[in-house]
Amino acid sequence: MTRMMKVAIFVEPGRIVLDDKPVPDVGPLDALIKITTTTICGTDVHILKGEYPVERGLTIGHEPVGIIEKLGSAVQGYREGQRVIAGAITPSGHSQACLCGFHSQDGAGTRHGFKPMGGWRFGNTIDGAQAEYLLVPDAMTNLAPIPDGLSDEQVLMCPDIMSTGFSGAERGHVRIGDSVAVFAQGPIGLCATAGARLMGATMIVAVDSIPERLAIAQQMGADHVVNFTQSDPVAEIMRLTDGRGVDVAIEALGQQQTFASALRVLRPGGTLSSLGVYSSDLTIPLDAFAAGLGDHTIVTSLCPGGKERMERLMNAIASKRIDTRPLVTDRYTLDDIEDAYDIFANQRDGVLKIAITA
């Protein structure tokens, strides 16, 4: 008899619903994990709204925490019953992109080995983590054992939010003594703020409009907070830097206005590190761009994945360098995931991240 499982599937723009699918078969290099905790990402909301296209009937979600249920015949170094996470990015580990260090752009199977966003498979090109069970491809590249003593909620942000937020600081090449501005303090922006502190920034300015998020930003390492409904963030950041501008500006929302503001607060030669998922064309303001002569650097990133990345992030948590548990504001079961989407997509009741338990 075919085993069935509950899953959250994309039906059409505006509809993600709970349905049933067969539990997947396990190939030689795969692992099947029983999901114990997962969450909803802002990217899932882009999918829900039809702003990012995926196939109808796809299981959504890319942030898995679980227990190994079954291992493929060729998988070594793991055991069934082991607690693990896998990154939102699940690289093959052997493509040219992976071997160049760009796991997120994994083009395994293509002639040249590169594919934009090719490492993002869960809930994008294969069934994802908002389900009772998840098939993890290339398990030896992607499964990271959870250290003893860490709870599901402590590591829940590692697969995507922490990895993405930290990459904003890493790709921005934040250095000891730098000044950094982080535009938007949603879950990713808050992790970017924490990442900038870990990288050595000595003045971090967090920008948002929600007082509760600005308060968490201070917990995460922000030295100054700016509520953009009360003051002009560009003017305030330039005042705080005595007109110099910041070394690194991190854009964590994906909107024209925040992108332009991030560029406007950069010092000459500074770096704009963009994390946002954009739904329309961007325009670069000519004055802020110094007519193309300001020696600015603009970088983008999709969160790094793979087991080594996950282990490093969990090391940061285990060493108490960061605590992401304050980001979990709501808790639902998989049976109630449609209600969870309603709360999260409409940003009700101060929601930041929702822990979904199977």
Side-chain angles (χ1 to χ4, degrees):
M1 177 182 286
T2 301
R3 293 174 63 199
M4 303 297 287
M5 64 178 182
K6 292 179 287 188
V7 299
I9 65 168
F10 173 74
V11 178
E12 60 186 1
R15 287 187 67 206
I16 289 176
V17 303
L18 192 67
D19 206 339
D20 292 324
K21 279 187 180 181
V23 175
D25 295 328
V26 180
L29 294 174
D30 303 332
L32 183 70
I33 66 173
K34 179 176 176 56
I35 296 294
T36 54
T37 311
T38 187
T39 184
I40 300 173
C41 179
T43 305
D44 299 330
V45 175
H46 284 290
I47 292 171
L48 172 65
K49 293 179 178 179
E51 296 170 346
Y52 183 86
V54 300
E55 288 188 9
R56 297 185 182 210
L58 187 75
T59 304
I60 304 304
H62 50 260
E63 298 162 276
V65 181
I67 298 169
I68 296 175
E69 178 88 358
K70 185 176 181 181
L71 292 169
S73 58
V75 177
Q76 299 177 2
Y78 300 89
R79 57 178 172 78
E80 292 175 1
Q82 191 172 23
R83 296 176 64 228
V84 291
I85 62 171
I89 303 302
T90 52
S92 65
H94 59 74
S95 70
Q96 283 91 331
C98 289
L99 296 174
C100 287
F102 288 97
H103 300 93
S104 303
Q105 316 304 324
D106 180 17
T110 67
R111 181 178 58 82
H112 45 71
F114 289 85
K115 182 181 178 182
M117 302 183 293
W120 172 28
R121 293 190 273 181
F122 291 146
N124 182 27
T125 59
I126 64 174
D127 281 338
Q130 291 169 16
E132 289 184 282
Y133 294 93
L134 172 71
L135 189 71
V136 179
D138 301 298
M140 288 190 292
T141 301
N142 292 298
L143 284 183
I146 299 171
D148 292 340
L150 293 186
S151 69
D152 281 11
E153 287 195 9
Q154 280 180 286
V155 301
L156 180 58
M157 302 302 139
C158 293
D160 182 3
I161 299 304
M162 227 178 122
S163 190
T164 301
F166 279 20
S167 74
E170 291 164 317
R171 291 275 289 155
H173 297 293
V174 174
R175 298 182 298 176
I176 293 171
D178 269 354
S179 56
V180 178
V182 184
F183 286 83
Q185 294 297 299
I188 287 176
L190 288 165
C191 286
T193 295
R197 180 181 65 173
L198 287 174
M199 294 283 287
T202 51
M203 187 179 80
I204 302 170
V205 186
V207 180
D208 207 284
S209 64
I210 301 174
E212 292 81 6
R213 294 189 178 191
L214 292 173
I216 295 175
Q218 289 178 305
Q219 294 179 38
M220 292 289 188
D223 302 286
H224 305 276
V225 295
V226 178
N227 187 324
F228 66 77
T229 66
Q230 298 176 2
S231 60
D232 176 7
V234 173
E236 184 62 13
I237 290 168
M238 295 307 289
R239 184 190 69 79
L240 288 167
T241 59
D242 196 26
R244 174 183 183 271
V246 295
D247 299 292
V248 179
I250 300 173
E251 198 286 334
L253 186 60
Q255 292 188 0
Q256 172 67 49
Q257 184 176 356
T258 47
F259 181 88
S261 294
L263 190 58
R264 291 185 188 283
V265 301
L266 274 186
R267 65 160 171 81
T271 298
L272 192 164
S273 182
S274 173
L275 295 174
V277 178
Y278 299 94
S279 301
S280 60
D281 290 343
L282 287 173
T283 300
I284 294 177
L286 183 63
D287 59 335
F289 198 46
L293 303 175
D295 283 326
H296 298 115
T297 299
I298 298 175
V299 296
T300 64
S301 60
L302 177 58
C303 67
K307 66 181 180 183
E308 167 73 8
R309 176 68 169 185
M310 296 301 104
E311 288 173 358
R312 286 177 176 270
L313 296 177
M314 289 190 288
N315 285 343
I317 292 168
S319 66
K320 300 187 178 358
R321 298 297 197 276
I322 181 173
D323 183 2
T324 59
R325 285 175 293 183
L327 303 188
V328 178
T329 55
D330 298 78
R331 293 163 183 84
Y332 284 80
T333 65
L334 183 62
D335 286 332
D336 297 319
I337 196 166
E338 292 177 39
D339 293 334
Y341 262 101
D342 180 61
I343 291 286
F344 189 75
N346 293 289
Q347 288 293 289
R348 294 199 181 103
D349 304 325
V351 64
L352 269 174
K353 289 290 282 185
I354 298 174
I356 307 290
T357 53

